[in-house]
Amino acid sequence: MPALYREGEKIASLDSLGRLETAVPYEKATYTLTSSGTRKVGWSSLGSRASATWTFASARPAGPEPAELALMNVRLGGPRAPRAPSRAAARTSSP
């Protein structure tokens, strides 16, 4: 489930997966957005759990309107064969 932290303090969260939208103070701060999900399907034991963490700085937008941060536009990549398994609990980084 998604949760947003400002300087380590939780300021917003959702009870299910989805788009987390919230206003934040104008002062510059470090934010961390976490999200995780699980699934159980009868046809596959692969990919049953995923989690992600983004850490970023944010401050007052330059203009008068609020600014949206496109944090969920993440594309995974890396050296993987189409059917190659990943080690359990392995961390994978993407550019």
Side-chain angles (χ1 to χ4, degrees), residues 1-91:
M1 305 316 139
L4 180 65
Y5 298 82
R6 182 181 192 269
E7 303 293 351
E9 181 181 337
K10 186 189 287 187
I11 60 170
S13 63
L14 292 176
D15 293 332
S16 62
L17 291 177
R19 182 178 173 146
L20 177 61
E21 294 183 46
T22 188
V24 296
Y26 282 134
E27 294 81 23
K28 185 175 181 180
T30 299
Y31 292 86
T32 302
L33 177 64
T34 62
S35 188
S36 63
T38 59
R39 72 174 187 157
K40 185 167 183 141
V41 293
W43 49 267
S44 176
S45 62
L46 302 176
S48 61
R49 181 177 60 184
S51 62
T53 301
W54 294 269
T55 300
F56 58 96
S58 184
R60 184 181 185 107
E65 298 296 319
E68 290 188 14
L69 300 174
L71 300 173
M72 300 300 280
N73 293 334
V74 175
R75 205 172 277 234
L76 296 177
R80 296 254 190 276
R83 294 179 184 249
S86 294
R87 291 185 346 260
R91 289 183 179 246

